[in-house]
Amino acid sequence: MAGKKLTCLDCGQLNRVPEEKLAAGPKCGTCGAPLMSGKAVEVDAATLAKAAQNDDVPLVADFWAPWCGPCRMMAPEFSRAAQTLQGRARLVKLNTEEHQAAGMKYGIRGIPTMVEFAGGREVKRQSGAMREPQIVSWIGV
């Protein structure tokens, strides 16, 4: 069966979605959670690692912390970018305060930092707060 692999960000189950249905609000076959919700989803380190390794659509992670002013300033912009890119990319957020080992694993030296994953590997990264049009342009899908 052809399609794009997507990891459910709620239960971690791997799903296969026909490419033409990516923008139509696909749901996880196990738990029913949206797979391409158009929202920036908070994830833990294990879910990020699984999605980064397995997903067939671009996955962009925002590494942030609640005490970081630029991170808080960028949060609504990142959410708007997730809505703009619905069906083309998935945007997730990882709190480096709660998941410090993940920050070290991915070599995060400053926050906010966005990292794009495709094909199981990191393809690019950008540090510093950005506005929604800049985020969408940087992702480029």
Side-chain angles (χ1 to χ4, degrees):
M1 177 174 142
K4 299 286 187 180
K5 290 184 295 186
L6 295 172
T7 304
C8 177
L9 301 175
D10 281 1
C11 73
Q13 180 65 39
L14 202 56
N15 293 265
R16 190 170 296 275
V17 178
E19 193 165 357
E20 63 276 5
K21 304 248 186 203
L22 288 175
K27 295 185 178 182
C28 176
T30 301
C31 73
L35 295 172
M36 299 286 286
S37 68
K39 296 179 179 166
V41 178
E42 187 75 35
V43 296
D44 61 21
T47 303
L48 174 61
K50 185 172 184 178
Q53 182 63 40
N54 294 303
D55 283 12
D56 288 335
V57 298
L59 177 74
V60 179
D62 172 23
F63 292 86
W64 72 286
W67 51 261
C68 168
C71 298
R72 290 194 319 266
M73 183 182 77
M74 190 174 101
E77 302 292 330
F78 194 72
S79 293
R80 281 194 284 279
Q83 190 172 16
T84 300
L85 294 168
Q86 183 176 3
R88 296 181 285 158
R90 297 205 303 171
L91 279 64
V92 298
K93 298 176 70 63
L94 187 124
N95 182 338
T96 57
E97 190 75 12
E98 292 177 4
H99 305 283
Q100 293 179 10
M104 292 188 325
K105 174 184 176 180
Y106 294 106
I108 303 303
R109 306 234 187 288
I111 52 175
T113 294
M114 292 186 302
V115 178
E116 182 177 337
F117 299 94
R121 63 182 184 84
E122 178 181 331
V123 292
K124 60 184 172 180
R125 72 172 49 209
Q126 172 73 40
S127 293
M130 297 170 72
R131 295 218 170 270
E132 183 259 346
Q134 295 170 305
I135 295 168
V136 170
S137 176
W138 180 79
I139 295 170
V141 291

